[in-house]
Amino acid sequence: MTDIDVELLEGEQLMSDSDELAYRQVAPHMLEDDGKIATTAFGPNSSDNNKPSFSRQREVSPQAARDWHDEYANSPSRGVWAVSVGEVVASGRYVVDDSKCALDPGALRAPGHCFVDFRGLSKLQRKELRAMLHMHAMRRGEIPTEAAKEDGQLFS
């Protein structure tokens, strides 16, 4: 990617450290019937405006990101996987830190929130980008974290 054509909103900034990881929580709906992670896990869903949520390595640990997700998201995390900023850029897109953007009253945002920008891509381009990000994340492997303990449970 040689030219970056992006319009950032107030408070958004491009992440530039190619080695920094962006953590992705994989929820149950992101798994295929055989339990493997679907390529769609690394792309947008219908409610995120082509900005799938990740968390910045520089701002939050993988465990803290998972703990926040387990406390506030609609479904628990089944694990954490990651892509690097450099991998996203090599795939033709970029990672945007939006953690300083204003929030609507009552809205929540994960610590160190960022997103891979899928805005403006065709359906085929989204599919190709998801597949590339999935490949990078699977090659890296799951980032070690522990599932949240249920109420009253002392050990996993």
Side-chain angles (χ1 to χ4, degrees):
M1 180 167 91
T2 56
D3 295 327
I4 294 179
D5 182 21
V6 60
E7 222 175 286
L8 298 174
L9 301 176
E10 187 173 334
E12 291 181 343
Q13 64 183 116
L14 290 178
M15 291 171 52
S16 59
D17 179 353
S18 64
D19 294 327
E20 184 175 3
L21 296 178
Y23 302 127
R24 181 71 166 158
Q25 303 301 319
V26 174
H29 70 273
M30 298 172 170
L31 301 175
E32 296 176 351
D33 292 338
D34 62 3
K36 292 182 180 176
I37 299 170
T39 59
T40 55
F42 292 90
N45 61 49
S46 58
S47 65
D48 61 20
N49 297 317
N50 289 306
K51 301 185 289 185
S53 295
F54 289 77
S55 297
R56 289 188 73 160
Q57 176 184 29
R58 185 176 290 174
E59 300 295 326
V60 65
S61 72
Q63 186 64 55
R66 183 174 185 170
D67 292 346
W68 190 94
H69 179 93
D70 285 344
E71 185 169 346
Y72 295 104
N74 292 332
S75 59
S77 176
R78 292 294 177 102
V80 178
W81 278 259
V83 294
S84 72
V85 170
E87 290 164 347
V88 175
V89 170
S91 299
R93 296 306 282 178
Y94 36 87
V95 187
V96 177
D97 178 334
D98 65 345
S99 62
K100 294 180 178 47
C101 291
L103 283 174
D104 292 333
L108 296 174
R109 179 186 300 125
H113 190 273
C114 61
F115 63 90
V116 174
D117 196 349
F118 280 74
R119 295 176 290 188
L121 296 180
S122 70
K123 185 175 181 177
L124 178 59
Q125 289 170 320
R126 286 193 305 271
K127 183 177 181 178
E128 290 172 347
L129 179 55
R130 286 190 322 247
M132 286 187 274
L133 299 181
H134 180 272
M135 178 192 68
H136 291 302
M138 295 305 106
R139 186 179 305 138
R140 177 171 288 103
E142 184 176 2
I143 307 298
T145 58
E146 293 185 21
K149 294 171 184 55
E150 296 180 26
D151 286 343
Q153 183 181 1
L154 295 177
F155 305 100
S156 298

